[in-house]
Structure formats: structure tokens, C-alpha cells
Amino acid sequence: MTAPIPPSLNGRRDRDPFWVAVSAVFGGIHRVRRLRQPVLPPVRPVERDLAMVVREVRREAADVVSLRLAAADGRVLPAWQPGCHLDVLLPSGRRRQYSLCGDPADRRTYRIAVRALPAGAGGSVEAHGLAEGDALRVRGPRNAFPFLAGERYLFLAGGIGITAILPMVHAAARAGADWRLVYTGRSRTTLPFLDELPAERVTVRTDDVDGVPDCAELLSLAAPGTAVYCCGPAAMIDGVRAAFPAGTGSTLHFERFAPAPIVDGKPFEIELRGSGVVLPVPADRSALDVLREAVPGVAYSCRQGFCGTCRVGLVAGHADERAVSDADESGLLVCVSRASGGRLTLDL
Ligand code: FES
């Protein structure tokens, strides 16, 4: 931009010839610069809500299938990094998160893997019923478990937790980092993707042969200054966190499949605006769990405060917001939020 030309230096309101000349010179330079700048195509917003089709279903372990998904219109897919997950909207309307476990360089397909949980809420069983050609919608990819550049890694994967860890392992190998993976599970037949891992850097520990792993022993494999990435069942995460040594310069990064236990929760009440029903929420339960008993159709997915599915309008009361993301949106994430005292009235 060129500056506005000031009035005449001798005090008259007409423009001073000196400044007119200066402005002409700089204005010309500015125009030439603009002409020399490359013309960039307009930035297209990244498409985050995609219609997909199942291209391949593979059995990867006793109760695990992988699904390879492609855009329904064949387009190139948004880029992703190790640690990213997809929000998958299943045909029933259930929304679930699955880690991307394929190759980030493959921009035509995404791979996810699902362990069947017959006693779960139905999402995993439904995903196991998908077949080639079935249509799905997905949102993302989103990254709640970023993988940071480093020189030394210890990866700890428990069962289906390998899905988040697998692309990190390959990225570390490609980068020439010093890495090691401990992969745990009930038995070898329950561990997906074993054939995609280089055996020389992987230690497999299964409950049927080695017993339940000792987290302090697993962490003893981390030399000082190691980045430890852990994904697995809640007991594994909690055990690793509790045993993680302080003062070694090592760092711990983890992702849960299941909600973290409620710590220091206080009881409170929720009132449903539509019916006036008041529900007590005990100190050790979430508002979502209590709500689901009274209103079975309440939508939810991650139960950890990052997907936004359980967001409900807050009509009255003061909430202790614990959302992990999307903090700019209004409403309450009932899976993690609690009242900072008294009662919350929800728009239900
Ligand atoms: S269920 Fe995902 S934010 Fe509540």
C-alpha cells in the first residue's frame, strides 16, 4: 500500500509536487512488485464431511476387521498424520472414532480397524457387518494424539491400540529414529497387523504366555530422553502414567479408548427443560451416563470431550466445562462437563 499524499509543505491545501513525485515512484514500485508475484489459485476449504464407500474388508485378527474406505466420487482424500482419527457415521446414525492405521502417503483410501465388542453399545458390531460397496459418511481426519519429531521412541500398544501406534512406528522407521515397540494383548491371535511390523524391534507380550504386563518393567526399556507413546485399554494407560519415571527427560504421550475415570467429582443435578424431570448425578458418574438412562436416544461417541456429539444446550446453571476441543461452540459436552455447583438445566 502507498501512503496518502500529505498537504503542501508550504501550508496550502493543494498537493506538494515533491510528495506527488515520491508517491509516483513508490506507487510504481508497488505495482511492479504485484505484477511479479505469482498468481495463486484461490484457497479451497478442506472438505471435512465426506461421502465414502467401503472398498475392502479384511479380517486382521480373531475379532478385528480392517476397512479400507475411498471417497464415493473418487476424489483425493484430505491429508493426515500419524495419530489422526476419523469420525465415522455408521448407517444406523451411530458416530464412532477410529484411528487411521494405513499409509498417510495413500491419498486415495483411508484404513481403519475395529475390534468387535458384543457387549458394547453396538457401534463395533455394526462396523463388523459392513461389506464392500457400503456407503458411509466420515468427518475428519482430526488429530488428538499428535506424533512429534524426535530421535528415540518407545511405543506401547495394547490390543486395538496398535491402530494409532502403527503409523507412528512406520514414520519413526522412515525417519531413521531409534525406536522400539512393545505390543500387548490377550493372545497372539487377537493382535492385528503383526505381519506389518519388523520383528527385530517389536516385543510381543501376551497375557496367555507372559501374564499381565508390569508397566514399570515396560517403561524400563525407555532410556532417558525417550518419547513414550502409549495407546491401549484404560488399565494400561493408568498403569503407565502411574509408573512413568520423573526427572529422566522422557515424555509420555497417550490416547485412551475409553473415558478417563472421574477424579474429584462432586454430585450435582440436571434438570430436563422439556419435562421438568430432575436427575441426580453422583460424584463418580458422568451427566451423559445418567442422561442415557432417562433419555436413551442421547447421542454420544468419544465420551472424552473431543468429538462434540453429545453437545446439549445449557439453559441455566453454571458448568465446569471440560471440553478438550471445540471450546468456541456453545452448549455443554455432557460426557465430561459437570456443574460447578447446584443444578444445570439442559435443553432436552
Ligand atoms: S461424546 Fe464426544 S464430546 Fe461427548
Side-chain angles (χ1 to χ4, degrees), residues 49-96:
D49 191 343
L50 291 168
M52 308 287 283
V53 62
V54 178
R55 285 278 177 248
E56 183 185 53
V57 180
R58 276 191 55 175
R59 184 153 299 279
E60 305 287 354
D63 52 0
V64 176
V65 294
S66 68
L67 305 172
R68 202 169 277 281
L69 311 175
D73 61 3
R75 72 175 64 184
V76 171
L77 298 170
W80 61 280
Q81 304 85 35
C84 279
H85 67 266
L86 283 184
D87 285 351
V88 177
L89 189 63
L90 294 165
S92 65
R94 295 182 178 100
R95 191 180 287 272
R96 295 290 182 268

Side-chain angles (χ1 to χ4, degrees), residues 91-113:
S92 65
R94 295 182 178 100
R95 191 180 287 272
R96 295 290 182 268
Q97 279 80 44
Y98 298 109
S99 295
L100 283 162
C101 60
D103 179 359
D106 175 4
R107 299 288 301 280
R108 293 288 177 185
T109 63
Y110 289 148
R111 185 174 72 167
I112 58 175

Side-chain angles (χ1 to χ4, degrees), residues 300-303 305-310 333 335:
Y300 70 95
S301 181
C302 71
R303 294 183 294 148
F306 61 78
C307 74
T309 309
C310 68
L333 299 178
C335 64

Side-chain angles (χ1 to χ4, degrees), residues 129-221:
L130 291 169
E132 287 176 24
D134 283 352
L136 290 172
R137 293 199 76 81
V138 307
R139 298 206 72 192
R142 290 198 282 178
N143 199 344
F145 190 28
F147 179 59
L148 306 176
E151 295 177 354
R152 195 176 307 119
Y153 298 98
L154 173 63
F155 298 108
L156 304 175
I160 196 67
I162 192 64
T163 51
I165 296 292
L166 188 63
M168 296 184 181
V169 164
H170 291 313
R174 274 195 302 274
D178 177 10
W179 66 272
R180 189 177 176 104
L181 164 66
V182 182
Y183 189 6
T184 68
R186 287 168 286 146
S187 65
R188 279 189 91 90
T189 58
T190 66
L191 299 182
F193 307 124
L194 269 177
D195 57 340
E196 297 184 21
L197 293 164
E200 64 278 9
R201 291 194 183 231
V202 179
T203 303
V204 174
R205 296 198 48 140
T206 55
D207 300 352
D208 59 346
V209 174
D210 308 294
V212 177
D214 177 299
C215 292
E217 187 190 327
L218 299 183
L219 289 168
S220 69
L221 298 171

